C-alpha cells in the first residue's frame, strides 16, 4: 500500500531521481516492471509475450540490447509501435481505480463434463487505462501442478479503458482452490482480492461465458434513494476509545501492528485496544476496502456515522458486517467466531433505538438494522465496542429510502 501510494501523482523518473525516496523507488521498480509485462500480455497474449521474451534473451545473451534495438525488434515481431505504450507507462502519474461487483462462481455440466465458472463485473472509474489480472490455483489431487502449465493456463489479463465497465468470465476445467483478482498498481487497496471457491453451487441450463463484454457503467453509481457513509468518508468519526491504564497503553505500543502503510494489520483474533483502520478484502469500499476495528469491550469505545439525507421519509438502515463467517455451514462452529454481536444506536424522529444484532444470524455484507422515519437533514448511527466476542468491526452504514 505504501509503494502504490508513492506512485500516485508521481511518475517513475521523478521517483527515481528523488534521493530522499530511495526506499520507495526500490520497492516501486519491481511493481512497475510487473505492470508493464502484464499489460503487454493483455495486449498480445500471455504465451506470446513469454515466448518472445525467452527467445529475445537467447538471441542477445552475449551482448547488451539497447532500448532502441528493443523497440525495433518488438515492432518487427508484433507489427506494433510499442514506444507510445512504454512512454505512457514510464511517465504516467495517475492511477486507475476499480469497482468490482456481482462476483460469483459455480459449476455446470457442458456436454457431460463438469466445468467451473467465475464471473464478475468491474468498472474503471478513473481517467487513465487500467487492467485486472485473474488467476487461480487448481486443486488437483494428483500432485503439484508444473509452473509452466500454471503460467500458460491459469492467468488471464483484461484491459480497461478510462471509464469502461466490463463483465468478465473465466471457465476452467479444473476446480480452483481460490481465485485471485489483482488490480495491480491502482487506487485499490488491497490490490489483490482472494475468493475462496470451496463452497460452489451447481447450476443447470447455463451457458459458459469465457472472456469479457462491455456493460453500462451507470450500474455502479449509487442510487438516488441510497446514502452510504463509509469509514473513509467525512461523515465517519471515532467518538471515543476505551479508557486505558498506563500499563495497557505501554503494551499496546510494544505490540503495535502498523504495516508502514498507514493501516494497521487486520488480525481478527488479536484486535487492538483502540480503534484502528485496517485494509482487508472482506471490507466495504469502492476503491479502498478498509474498516476500523477494536477489541470487544464494555461499550466505552464508540464510532459514529452521520449522513445528510435530502428528503424526509421512511428509510431502511443497513450495517455492513464483513466477518460473519456465513460460509461456515455448522452453527456450533459459527458461535465461536470472534465477532459475536453488534450493539448499535439509531437516532430517528421517534427517539433512539438500541438494536443488538447477533452475527450468527447475519451474512457477510449488508444486513438490515431496522426501518425508521427520518426528517431531512443530519441522521446518525453509532456503534460501540460492547460484545461478548473478541473484536468489533466498524465499516459502513447505508440508508435506503422506501417508496
Amino acid at each position: 500500500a505504501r509503494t502504490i501510494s508513492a506512485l500516485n501523482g508521481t511518475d517513475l523518473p521523478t521517483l527515481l531521481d528523488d534521493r530522499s525516496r530511495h526506499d520507495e523507488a526500490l520497492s516501486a521498480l519491481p511493481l512497475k516492471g510487473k505492470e508493464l509485462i502484464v499489460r503487454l500480455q493483455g495486449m498480445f497474449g500471455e504465451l506470446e509475450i513469454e515466448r518472445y521474451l525467452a527467445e529475445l534473451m537467447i538471441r542477445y545473451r552475449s551482448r547488451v540490447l539497447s532500448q532502441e534495438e528493443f523497440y525495433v525488434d518488438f515492432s518487427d515481431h508484433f507489427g506494433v509501435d510499442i514506444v507510445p505504450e512504454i512512454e505512457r507507462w514510464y511517465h504516467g502519474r495517475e492511477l486507475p481505480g476499480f469497482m468490482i461487483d456481482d462476483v460469483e462462481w459455480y459449476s455446470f455440466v457442458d456436454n457431460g463434463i463438469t466445468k467451473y465458472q467465475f464471473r464478475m463485473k468491474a468498472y474503471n472509474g478513473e481517467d487513465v487505462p487500467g487492467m485486472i489480472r485473474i488467476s487461480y490455483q487448481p486443486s488437483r489431487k494428483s500432485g503439484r501442478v508444473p509452473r509452466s502449465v500454471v503460467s500458460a493456463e491459469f492467468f488471464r489479463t483484461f484491459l480497461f479503458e478510462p471509464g469502461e465497465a466490463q463483465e468478465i468470465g473465466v471457465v476452467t476445467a479444473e476446480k480452483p482452490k481460490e481465485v485471485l483478482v489483482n488490480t495491480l498498481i491502482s487506487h485499490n487497496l488491497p490490490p489483490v482480492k482472494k475468493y475462496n471457491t470451496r463452497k460452489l453451487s451447481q447450476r443447470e441450463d447455463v451457458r459458459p461465458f469465457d472472456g469479457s463484454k462491455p456493460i453500462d457503467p451507470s450500474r455502479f453509481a449509487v442510487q438516488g434513494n441510497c446514502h452510504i457513509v463509509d469509514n473513509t468518508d467525512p461523515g465517519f468519526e471515532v467518538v471515543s476509545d476505551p479508557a486505558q491504564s498506563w500499563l495497557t497503553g505501554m503494551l499496546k505500543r510494544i505490540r503495535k501492528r502498523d504495516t508502514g502503510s498507514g493501516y494497521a494489520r487486520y488480525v481478527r483474533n488479536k484486535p487492538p485496544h483502540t480503534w484502528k483502520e485496517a485494509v482487508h478484502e472482506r471490507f466495504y469500499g469502492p476503491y479502498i476496502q478498509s474498516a476500523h476495528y477494536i477489541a470487544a469491550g464494555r461499550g466505552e469505545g464508540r464510532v459514529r456515522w452521520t449522513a445528510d439525507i435530502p428528503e424526509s421519509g421512511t428509510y431502511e438502515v443497513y450495517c455492513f458486517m464483513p466477518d460473519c463467517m456465513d460460509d461456515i455451514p455448522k452453527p456450533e462452529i459459527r458461535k465461536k467466531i470472534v465477532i459475536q454481536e453488534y450493539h448499535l444506536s439509531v437516532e430517528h424522529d421517534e427517539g433512539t433505538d438500541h438494536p443488538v444484532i447477533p452475527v450468527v444470524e447475519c451474512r457477510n455484507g449488508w444486513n438490515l438494522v431496522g426501518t425508521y422515519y427520518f426528517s431531512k437533514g443530519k441522521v446518525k448511527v453509532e456503534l460501540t465496542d460492547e460484545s461478548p466476542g473478541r473484536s468489533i468491526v466498524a465499516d459502513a452504514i447505508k440508508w435506503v429510502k422506501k417508496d
Side-chain angles (χ1 to χ4, degrees), residues 7 31 42 138 187 197 210 217 275 298 313 340 388:
L7 290 167
L31 281 179
H187 287 293
T197 58
D210 193 79
W275 293 104
R298 296 174 295 183
Q340 292 288 322

Side-chain angles (χ1 to χ4, degrees), residues 114-169:
T114 299
K115 296 183 179 180
Y116 303 90
Q117 174 80 68
F118 178 81
R119 300 180 76 142
M120 67 177 223
K121 297 180 177 70
Y123 166 58
N124 177 15
E126 299 301 308
D127 295 328
V128 292
M131 53 192 163
I132 291 177
R133 190 178 212 197
I134 296 178
S135 59
Y136 77 93
Q137 177 66 41
S139 55
R140 291 186 176 178
K141 298 179 180 179
S142 55
R144 186 176 178 181
V145 182
R147 179 174 174 79
S148 60
V149 175
V150 172
S151 62
E153 189 178 349
F154 307 130
F155 291 93
R156 298 284 294 278
T157 303
F158 299 88
L159 305 181
F160 285 75
E161 292 301 315
E164 183 181 15
Q166 298 180 29
E167 182 175 4
I168 292 172

Side-chain angles (χ1 to χ4, degrees), residues 106-276:
Y106 52 86
S107 64
F108 65 97
V109 178
D110 183 26
N111 294 324
I113 300 173
T114 299
K115 296 183 179 180
Y116 303 90
Q117 174 80 68
F118 178 81
R119 300 180 76 142
M120 67 177 223
K121 297 180 177 70
Y123 166 58
N124 177 15
E126 299 301 308
D127 295 328
V128 292
M131 53 192 163
I132 291 177
R133 190 178 212 197
I134 296 178
S135 59
Y136 77 93
Q137 177 66 41
S139 55
R140 291 186 176 178
K141 298 179 180 179
S142 55
R144 186 176 178 181
V145 182
R147 179 174 174 79
S148 60
V149 175
V150 172
S151 62
E153 189 178 349
F154 307 130
F155 291 93
R156 298 284 294 278
T157 303
F158 299 88
L159 305 181
F160 285 75
E161 292 301 315
E164 183 181 15
Q166 298 180 29
E167 182 175 4
I168 292 172
V170 176
V171 176
T172 67
E174 296 283 348
K175 181 179 179 180
K177 289 173 61 178
E178 63 182 9
V179 177
L180 306 181
V181 176
N182 190 345
T183 55
L184 294 121
I185 300 178
S186 68
H187 287 293
N188 293 78
L189 292 177
V192 179
K193 299 172 179 60
K194 299 179 182 179
Y195 297 99
N196 193 302
T197 58
R198 68 180 175 218
K199 187 180 178 183
L200 285 171
S201 62
Q202 184 167 341
R203 298 193 183 176
E204 307 290 339
D205 300 325
V206 294
R207 291 186 177 183
F209 173 51
D210 193 79
S212 65
K213 61 183 179 182
I215 57 176
D216 185 0
S218 65
R219 72 176 309 280
F220 289 90
V222 177
Q223 301 301 315
N225 67 336
C226 178
H227 306 274
I228 298 175
V229 177
D230 194 11
N231 72 294
T232 58
D233 294 329
F236 176 85
E237 61 179 315
V238 174
V239 179
S240 63
D241 281 316
Q244 293 184 354
S245 67
W246 172 84
L247 179 58
T248 301
M250 183 181 70
L251 290 174
K252 182 195 72 173
R253 288 190 290 273
I254 293 174
R255 296 172 181 172
K256 186 178 180 182
R257 298 187 189 91
D258 196 325
T259 60
S261 63
Y263 298 98
R265 185 174 293 111
Y266 181 56
V267 185
R268 61 170 66 91
N269 60 344
K270 294 183 180 180
H273 294 284
T274 57
W275 293 104
K276 295 292 184 182

Side-chain angles (χ1 to χ4, degrees), residues 266 278-285 289-291 320 322-323 393 395:
Y266 181 56
V279 172
H280 196 271
E281 62 209 30
R282 286 182 180 267
F283 297 159
Y284 172 82
Q289 292 177 263
S290 72
F320 195 90
D323 230 348
V393 175
D395 199 338

Side-chain angles (χ1 to χ4, degrees), residues 3-134:
T3 303
I4 292 175
S5 298
L7 290 167
N8 186 19
T10 303
D11 60 16
L12 191 55
T14 301
L15 186 61
L16 292 173
D17 289 341
D18 190 343
R19 292 186 177 181
S20 66
R21 305 176 71 183
H22 176 73
D23 291 343
E24 291 178 338
L26 288 180
S27 300
L29 277 173
L31 281 179
K32 288 291 288 184
K34 180 179 180 180
E35 178 191 44
L36 178 60
I37 295 298
V38 171
R39 182 156 189 88
L40 294 178
Q41 289 174 333
M43 295 172 65
F44 303 103
E46 306 271 348
L47 284 177
E48 287 75 7
I49 290 296
E50 285 187 15
R51 289 167 180 164
Y52 169 71
L53 293 177
E55 189 267 339
L56 190 70
M57 292 175 66
I58 293 173
R59 283 194 285 121
Y60 287 90
R61 63 178 178 269
S62 59
R63 70 179 184 88
V64 176
L65 174 67
S66 71
Q67 184 174 323
E68 290 73 20
E69 287 177 316
F70 171 73
Y71 290 158
V72 172
D73 194 283
F74 195 98
S75 178
D76 290 343
H77 186 90
F78 290 100
V80 174
D81 181 9
I82 198 61
V83 174
E85 188 64 36
I86 299 290
E87 290 293 312
R88 185 203 63 77
W89 165 81
Y90 190 58
H91 294 287
R93 291 175 173 266
E94 304 303 320
L95 304 181
F98 293 95
M99 297 175 69
I100 296 174
D101 199 3
D102 288 350
V103 178
E104 57 180 349
W105 49 90
Y106 52 86
S107 64
F108 65 97
V109 178
D110 183 26
N111 294 324
I113 300 173
T114 299
K115 296 183 179 180
Y116 303 90
Q117 174 80 68
F118 178 81
R119 300 180 76 142
M120 67 177 223
K121 297 180 177 70
Y123 166 58
N124 177 15
E126 299 301 308
D127 295 328
V128 292
M131 53 192 163
I132 291 177
R133 190 178 212 197
I134 296 178

Side-chain angles (χ1 to χ4, degrees), residues 305 319 342-346 353-355 357 369 381-383 397:
W305 295 265
C319 180
Y342 279 79
H343 287 245
L344 296 145
S345 64
V346 182
D353 272 16
H354 300 279
I357 303 176
V369 175
V381 173
E382 289 192 358
L383 171 70
I397 296 292

